[in-house]
Amino acid sequence: MSLPHAILTALLEKPSSGLELTRRFDKSIGYFWSATHQQIYRELGRLEAAGLIRGLPAKERARGQKKDYEVLSAGRAELARWTAASQDPKPYRDALLLRLRAAAVVGTAGLRADLERHLELHERQLAEYREIEERDFPPGKDSPEDRLRHLVLRGGVDLETFWTQWLRYALDEFTELHGEQTELGGQNPG
C-alpha cells in the first residue's frame, strides 16, 4: 500500500511527470522505497482514476508530450490519513543472513566473497548518503520540513553504518573460524 503514498508525497513536493517521478525515485525516495518505471505509471493511472491526482493540461500540444500530475485535495487527505495511521514494523527478511545460517550445516563455500561484495556495496551506499547529507543538509538548514527529510537520510546513514560494521565483524569471524568450517556439513570453506 505504500507505493501510492510515496507517489503522493513526491507529487506534493513537486508536481511531476511519470518520467520525472521515476528519476526522483532513483535519486531519493527509491533509497527506501523502490519502484520500477512501469509500477510508477501503473500507480499514476490508479491514483488518477481514484480521484487522488489529476493530469495537468500540457502547455504545448506535441506528440509524446509528457503529462504532469498534481495531487488533489482527496489525495492530500489520503496521505494525511495514512501518515497518521499506526503501522507495525515489517518482519525483516534477508537472504544473506539465511545463507549464513545454512552455512552452519552445509559449509561456507562462496560466502566470504559474497560478504566482501556486500561490504563494498554498503560502503559505496554509505559514501553516497554522506555526500547527499553534506550537499543537501548544511548547517543552518533546519526548517521542520528539512529536519524531517534529514531524519530519513540519517536512518539510511545509520543502517549502512550498521551493515558495514556488521559485515567487517562477519569477515573477521570467517577468518577466525576458517579452519573449523571444514568440519561443518563436511564441505570445505569458501
Side-chain angles (χ1 to χ4, degrees):
M1 185 74 170
S2 294
L3 178 57
H5 299 101
I7 291 173
L8 288 170
T9 299
L11 290 175
L12 279 169
E13 291 173 344
K14 180 183 174 201
S16 304
S17 69
L19 180 59
E20 290 167 340
L21 276 175
T22 300
R23 289 180 181 149
R24 289 173 61 204
F25 263 73
D26 288 345
K27 294 179 181 176
S28 63
I29 293 173
Y31 288 126
F32 55 90
W33 196 270
S34 62
T36 66
H37 185 76
Q38 293 82 8
Q39 289 171 317
I40 290 171
Y41 273 94
R42 201 169 31 246
E43 200 56 54
L44 284 169
R46 288 183 189 132
L47 290 168
E48 191 170 27
L52 301 178
I53 65 170
R54 73 175 174 146
L56 297 171
K59 293 176 182 136
E60 298 176 17
R61 291 226 173 248
R63 183 179 168 104
Q65 180 71 28
K66 63 183 179 179
K67 181 179 183 180
D68 283 353
Y69 294 89
E70 70 176 354
V71 177
L72 299 173
S73 59
R76 180 180 283 276
E78 168 53 24
L79 187 59
R81 182 209 60 77
W82 179 77
T83 301
S86 176
Q87 292 186 351
D88 292 335
K90 299 279 185 221
Y92 186 70
R93 295 169 45 172
D94 189 292
L96 179 62
L97 297 176
L98 182 58
R99 290 171 52 222
L100 284 169
R101 179 73 181 251
V105 293
V106 298
T108 61
L111 276 175
R112 174 178 283 286
D114 204 36
L115 287 169
E116 290 168 348
R117 186 180 68 83
H118 276 252
L119 177 58
E120 181 182 325
L121 292 171
H122 284 287
E123 286 174 335
R124 218 178 304 148
Q125 189 65 64
L126 178 58
E128 187 173 341
Y129 285 165
R130 286 185 171 150
E131 183 180 302
I132 291 168
E133 186 173 38
E134 187 176 308
R135 180 191 68 220
D136 293 351
F137 299 101
K141 189 171 183 180
D142 60 355
S143 71
E145 296 84 1
D146 287 329
R147 289 176 69 181
L148 288 172
R149 289 182 185 111
H150 192 195
L151 185 61
V152 172
L153 180 60
R154 281 302 316 171
V157 167
D158 291 348
L159 284 170
E160 294 303 327
T161 299
F162 161 78
W163 279 113
T164 57
Q165 290 172 347
W166 182 85
L167 285 159
R168 286 187 192 107
Y169 175 78
L171 286 164
D172 288 346
E173 285 293 305
F174 260 64
T175 299
E176 271 190 49
L177 298 172
H178 186 37
E180 296 173 35
Q181 290 293 320
T182 58
E183 298 173 20
L184 295 175
Q187 295 191 6
N188 290 328

